[in-house]
Amino acid sequence: MKFEVNDIDIRVIDRGGEDYFSLTNMIKAGWKNLRVSDWLRTKGTIEKLVAWECGNNKNFNWGEFAAIMVWMRKPGSKNFKMGVKDWVKRTGATGLIASPGRYGGTYGHRDIAIDFADWVDPLN
């Protein structure tokens, strides 16, 4: 499934009966110089992702999340940068998907995609 925003197709995939929107396509439709990893590097984003995982993922790895938070709070944490693949691998997160290949990209659960859309284009 897909829909169009600013002449860009936003792909939507089904995972376990839930819609996941292409964050990669959302960037292309909005501010093209952004990256998903830029969004993922903020404390507010991490807190929102964790809140979503808390309510939707009983297998979330809280120990790894704690280690990530320590890393973010260290002096010089402005250099904190983590990709979606690392986030998913370390924490067992299910709200984001990073898939390789022709139709790959980064996808977020519809709840997460709404927050991401606000970050990509805060004026809409």
Tab-separated table of all heavy atoms in Angstrom, residues 39-71:
chain	number	residue	atom	x	y	z
A	39	TRP	N	16.911	12.265	13.691
A	39	TRP	CA	15.729	12.215	14.556
A	39	TRP	C	15.970	11.303	15.751
A	39	TRP	O	15.612	11.627	16.874
A	39	TRP	CB	14.543	11.729	13.723
A	39	TRP	CG	13.290	11.396	14.448
A	39	TRP	CD1	12.417	12.269	15.040
A	39	TRP	CD2	12.736	10.097	14.640
A	39	TRP	NE1	11.354	11.589	15.580
A	39	TRP	CE2	11.534	10.247	15.338
A	39	TRP	CE3	13.146	8.811	14.268
A	39	TRP	CZ2	10.722	9.172	15.686
A	39	TRP	CZ3	12.346	7.742	14.615
A	39	TRP	CH2	11.153	7.926	15.319
A	40	LEU	N	16.635	10.199	15.495
A	40	LEU	CA	16.871	9.187	16.532
A	40	LEU	C	17.901	9.629	17.566
A	40	LEU	O	17.977	9.055	18.641
A	40	LEU	CB	17.305	7.871	15.874
A	40	LEU	CG	17.349	6.629	16.727
A	40	LEU	CD1	15.989	6.345	17.352
A	40	LEU	CD2	17.794	5.432	15.905
A	41	ARG	N	18.630	10.662	17.300
A	41	ARG	CA	19.688	11.072	18.220
A	41	ARG	C	19.204	11.978	19.344
A	41	ARG	O	19.959	12.303	20.249
A	41	ARG	CB	20.837	11.719	17.455
A	41	ARG	CG	20.534	13.094	16.954
A	41	ARG	CD	21.613	13.671	16.096
A	41	ARG	NE	22.892	13.672	16.761
A	41	ARG	CZ	24.043	13.922	16.176
A	41	ARG	NH1	24.073	14.216	14.898
A	41	ARG	NH2	25.150	13.923	16.836
A	42	THR	N	17.944	12.392	19.322
A	42	THR	CA	17.464	13.296	20.364
A	42	THR	C	16.873	12.526	21.543
A	42	THR	O	16.255	11.468	21.371
A	42	THR	CB	16.398	14.271	19.826
A	42	THR	OG1	15.213	13.549	19.515
A	42	THR	CG2	16.908	15.024	18.606
A	43	LYS	N	17.059	13.080	22.714
A	43	LYS	CA	16.542	12.453	23.927
A	43	LYS	C	15.019	12.346	23.865
A	43	LYS	O	14.444	11.330	24.261
A	43	LYS	CB	16.980	13.257	25.148
A	43	LYS	CG	16.577	12.632	26.456
A	43	LYS	CD	17.061	13.457	27.624
A	43	LYS	CE	16.559	12.875	28.928
A	43	LYS	NZ	16.832	13.755	30.056
A	44	GLY	N	14.357	13.370	23.361
A	44	GLY	CA	12.896	13.346	23.260
A	44	GLY	C	12.398	12.208	22.384
A	44	GLY	O	11.404	11.553	22.706
A	45	THR	N	13.082	11.970	21.275
A	45	THR	CA	12.700	10.873	20.390
A	45	THR	C	12.872	9.543	21.102
A	45	THR	O	11.977	8.690	21.068
A	45	THR	CB	13.540	10.889	19.097
A	45	THR	OG1	13.213	12.069	18.367
A	45	THR	CG2	13.279	9.670	18.242
A	46	ILE	N	14.009	9.354	21.740
A	46	ILE	CA	14.268	8.100	22.462
A	46	ILE	C	13.194	7.885	23.523
A	46	ILE	O	12.664	6.772	23.670
A	46	ILE	CB	15.679	8.097	23.087
A	46	ILE	CG1	16.761	8.189	22.007
A	46	ILE	CG2	15.886	6.883	23.972
A	46	ILE	CD1	16.870	6.988	21.096
A	47	GLU	N	12.842	8.938	24.250
A	47	GLU	CA	11.812	8.805	25.289
A	47	GLU	C	10.461	8.413	24.688
A	47	GLU	O	9.749	7.577	25.252
A	47	GLU	CB	11.696	10.109	26.075
A	47	GLU	CG	12.890	10.350	26.978
A	47	GLU	CD	12.917	11.735	27.608
A	47	GLU	OE1	12.131	12.628	27.172
A	47	GLU	OE2	13.730	11.924	28.539
A	48	LYS	N	10.102	8.984	23.547
A	48	LYS	CA	8.839	8.623	22.892
A	48	LYS	C	8.866	7.191	22.378
A	48	LYS	O	7.877	6.468	22.500
A	48	LYS	CB	8.544	9.593	21.752
A	48	LYS	CG	8.157	10.971	22.237
A	48	LYS	CD	8.015	11.943	21.091
A	48	LYS	CE	7.797	13.346	21.617
A	48	LYS	NZ	7.747	14.333	20.536
A	49	LEU	N	10.002	6.784	21.823
A	49	LEU	CA	10.115	5.401	21.350
A	49	LEU	C	9.991	4.424	22.499
A	49	LEU	O	9.316	3.393	22.386
A	49	LEU	CB	11.447	5.196	20.618
A	49	LEU	CG	11.596	5.891	19.275
A	49	LEU	CD1	13.005	5.697	18.728
A	49	LEU	CD2	10.559	5.391	18.282
A	50	VAL	N	10.632	4.740	23.614
A	50	VAL	CA	10.577	3.855	24.779
A	50	VAL	C	9.152	3.783	25.335
A	50	VAL	O	8.688	2.710	25.716
A	50	VAL	CB	11.584	4.300	25.862
A	50	VAL	CG1	11.349	3.614	27.173
A	50	VAL	CG2	13.000	4.027	25.374
A	51	ALA	N	8.452	4.909	25.352
A	51	ALA	CA	7.066	4.900	25.819
A	51	ALA	C	6.220	3.983	24.937
A	51	ALA	O	5.405	3.203	25.432
A	51	ALA	CB	6.500	6.315	25.826
A	52	TRP	N	6.448	4.044	23.621
A	52	TRP	CA	5.708	3.175	22.707
A	52	TRP	C	6.069	1.707	22.962
A	52	TRP	O	5.191	0.858	23.054
A	52	TRP	CB	5.986	3.545	21.245
A	52	TRP	CG	5.102	2.789	20.306
A	52	TRP	CD1	3.875	3.173	19.850
A	52	TRP	CD2	5.347	1.492	19.757
A	52	TRP	NE1	3.354	2.203	19.045
A	52	TRP	CE2	4.228	1.147	18.968
A	52	TRP	CE3	6.390	0.578	19.852
A	52	TRP	CZ2	4.135	-0.054	18.276
A	52	TRP	CZ3	6.303	-0.625	19.167
A	52	TRP	CH2	5.186	-0.933	18.378
A	53	GLU	N	7.350	1.424	23.082
A	53	GLU	CA	7.796	0.041	23.319
A	53	GLU	C	7.232	-0.486	24.642
A	53	GLU	O	6.835	-1.645	24.732
A	53	GLU	CB	9.325	-0.040	23.316
A	53	GLU	CG	9.989	0.294	21.996
A	53	GLU	CD	9.733	-0.694	20.878
A	53	GLU	OE1	9.355	-1.859	21.138
A	53	GLU	OE2	9.908	-0.298	19.706
A	54	CYS	N	7.191	0.362	25.644
A	54	CYS	CA	6.682	-0.033	26.955
A	54	CYS	C	5.247	-0.547	26.851
A	54	CYS	O	4.887	-1.530	27.495
A	54	CYS	CB	6.764	1.157	27.913
A	54	CYS	SG	6.258	0.786	29.597
A	55	GLY	N	4.454	0.099	26.030
A	55	GLY	CA	3.060	-0.301	25.884
A	55	GLY	C	2.811	-1.371	24.842
A	55	GLY	O	1.720	-1.935	24.786
A	56	ASN	N	3.817	-1.684	24.016
A	56	ASN	CA	3.580	-2.584	22.881
A	56	ASN	C	4.564	-3.728	22.729
A	56	ASN	O	4.387	-4.565	21.846
A	56	ASN	CB	3.597	-1.762	21.586
A	56	ASN	CG	2.478	-0.759	21.528
A	56	ASN	OD1	1.338	-1.104	21.246
A	56	ASN	ND2	2.782	0.490	21.838
A	57	ASN	N	5.613	-3.772	23.522
A	57	ASN	CA	6.668	-4.767	23.319
A	57	ASN	C	7.132	-5.327	24.659
A	57	ASN	O	7.954	-4.730	25.335
A	57	ASN	CB	7.840	-4.124	22.565
A	57	ASN	CG	8.978	-5.083	22.297
A	57	ASN	OD1	8.919	-6.255	22.632
A	57	ASN	ND2	10.031	-4.564	21.696
A	58	LYS	N	6.608	-6.495	25.009
A	58	LYS	CA	6.965	-7.094	26.297
A	58	LYS	C	8.404	-7.602	26.315
A	58	LYS	O	8.941	-7.894	27.379
A	58	LYS	CB	5.997	-8.223	26.636
A	58	LYS	CG	6.052	-9.381	25.678
A	58	LYS	CD	5.064	-10.457	26.028
A	58	LYS	CE	5.202	-11.580	24.997
A	58	LYS	NZ	4.270	-12.632	25.147
A	59	ASN	N	9.051	-7.690	25.157
A	59	ASN	CA	10.427	-8.199	25.085
A	59	ASN	C	11.470	-7.090	24.924
A	59	ASN	O	12.616	-7.371	24.574
A	59	ASN	CB	10.557	-9.198	23.929
A	59	ASN	CG	9.700	-10.417	24.153
A	59	ASN	OD1	9.649	-10.960	25.257
A	59	ASN	ND2	8.998	-10.838	23.127
A	60	PHE	N	11.067	-5.859	25.153
A	60	PHE	CA	12.013	-4.745	25.037
A	60	PHE	C	13.158	-4.951	26.028
A	60	PHE	O	12.940	-5.318	27.180
A	60	PHE	CB	11.292	-3.426	25.321
A	60	PHE	CG	12.131	-2.211	25.082
A	60	PHE	CD1	12.455	-1.814	23.797
A	60	PHE	CD2	12.597	-1.458	26.142
A	60	PHE	CE1	13.219	-0.681	23.566
A	60	PHE	CE2	13.366	-0.317	25.924
A	60	PHE	CZ	13.680	0.060	24.639
A	61	ASN	N	14.387	-4.703	25.584
A	61	ASN	CA	15.573	-4.926	26.407
A	61	ASN	C	15.882	-3.665	27.220
A	61	ASN	O	16.563	-2.754	26.755
A	61	ASN	CB	16.757	-5.308	25.515
A	61	ASN	CG	17.978	-5.713	26.302
A	61	ASN	OD1	18.193	-5.256	27.418
A	61	ASN	ND2	18.786	-6.570	25.703
A	62	TRP	N	15.404	-3.642	28.443
A	62	TRP	CA	15.566	-2.473	29.307
A	62	TRP	C	17.014	-2.251	29.709
A	62	TRP	O	17.438	-1.110	29.905
A	62	TRP	CB	14.662	-2.603	30.536
A	62	TRP	CG	13.235	-2.478	30.144
A	62	TRP	CD1	12.335	-3.492	29.959
A	62	TRP	CD2	12.545	-1.277	29.811
A	62	TRP	NE1	11.129	-2.983	29.533
A	62	TRP	CE2	11.227	-1.625	29.442
A	62	TRP	CE3	12.913	0.066	29.785
A	62	TRP	CZ2	10.279	-0.682	29.062
A	62	TRP	CZ3	11.962	1.010	29.407
A	62	TRP	CH2	10.666	0.634	29.052
A	63	GLY	N	17.794	-3.316	29.845
A	63	GLY	CA	19.218	-3.172	30.183
A	63	GLY	C	19.971	-2.422	29.106
A	63	GLY	O	20.778	-1.531	29.398
A	64	GLU	N	19.724	-2.760	27.859
A	64	GLU	CA	20.376	-2.058	26.751
A	64	GLU	C	19.892	-0.614	26.660
A	64	GLU	O	20.666	0.289	26.361
A	64	GLU	CB	20.133	-2.768	25.421
A	64	GLU	CG	21.099	-3.882	25.143
A	64	GLU	CD	22.553	-3.407	25.080
A	64	GLU	OE1	22.862	-2.378	24.447
A	64	GLU	OE2	23.394	-4.089	25.667
A	65	PHE	N	18.604	-0.413	26.910
A	65	PHE	CA	18.095	0.959	26.913
A	65	PHE	C	18.815	1.792	27.972
A	65	PHE	O	19.216	2.920	27.714
A	65	PHE	CB	16.582	0.985	27.153
A	65	PHE	CG	16.076	2.350	27.477
A	65	PHE	CD1	16.117	3.359	26.534
A	65	PHE	CD2	15.583	2.645	28.735
A	65	PHE	CE1	15.665	4.638	26.829
A	65	PHE	CE2	15.134	3.912	29.049
A	65	PHE	CZ	15.171	4.907	28.096
A	66	ALA	N	19.013	1.235	29.154
A	66	ALA	CA	19.720	1.952	30.220
A	66	ALA	C	21.140	2.304	29.783
A	66	ALA	O	21.625	3.413	30.035
A	66	ALA	CB	19.745	1.118	31.501
A	67	ALA	N	21.807	1.372	29.103
A	67	ALA	CA	23.164	1.631	28.619
A	67	ALA	C	23.167	2.753	27.579
A	67	ALA	O	24.067	3.607	27.571
A	67	ALA	CB	23.761	0.353	28.025
A	68	ILE	N	22.164	2.791	26.737
A	68	ILE	CA	22.057	3.851	25.737
A	68	ILE	C	21.853	5.195	26.424
A	68	ILE	O	22.465	6.202	26.048
A	68	ILE	CB	20.916	3.552	24.742
A	68	ILE	CG1	21.299	2.362	23.856
A	68	ILE	CG2	20.578	4.777	23.891
A	68	ILE	CD1	20.152	1.772	23.058
A	69	MET	N	21.022	5.231	27.442
A	69	MET	CA	20.775	6.484	28.160
A	69	MET	C	22.043	6.986	28.856
A	69	MET	O	22.300	8.191	28.875
A	69	MET	CB	19.631	6.317	29.169
A	69	MET	CG	18.269	6.161	28.512
A	69	MET	SD	17.849	7.468	27.322
A	69	MET	CE	17.597	8.856	28.410
A	70	VAL	N	22.835	6.080	29.407
A	70	VAL	CA	24.115	6.482	30.013
A	70	VAL	C	25.001	7.099	28.940
A	70	VAL	O	25.622	8.136	29.149
A	70	VAL	CB	24.807	5.278	30.698
A	70	VAL	CG1	26.249	5.611	31.050
A	70	VAL	CG2	24.022	4.851	31.926
A	71	TRP	N	25.051	6.465	27.786
A	71	TRP	CA	25.848	6.957	26.653
A	71	TRP	C	25.375	8.356	26.247
A	71	TRP	O	26.185	9.260	26.004
A	71	TRP	CB	25.717	5.967	25.514
A	71	TRP	CG	26.436	6.292	24.238
A	71	TRP	CD1	27.521	7.107	24.068
A	71	TRP	CD2	26.117	5.804	22.942
A	71	TRP	NE1	27.896	7.141	22.747
A	71	TRP	CE2	27.053	6.349	22.033
A	71	TRP	CE3	25.142	4.944	22.460
A	71	TRP	CZ2	27.022	6.067	20.680
A	71	TRP	CZ3	25.123	4.665	21.107
A	71	TRP	CH2	26.061	5.223	20.235
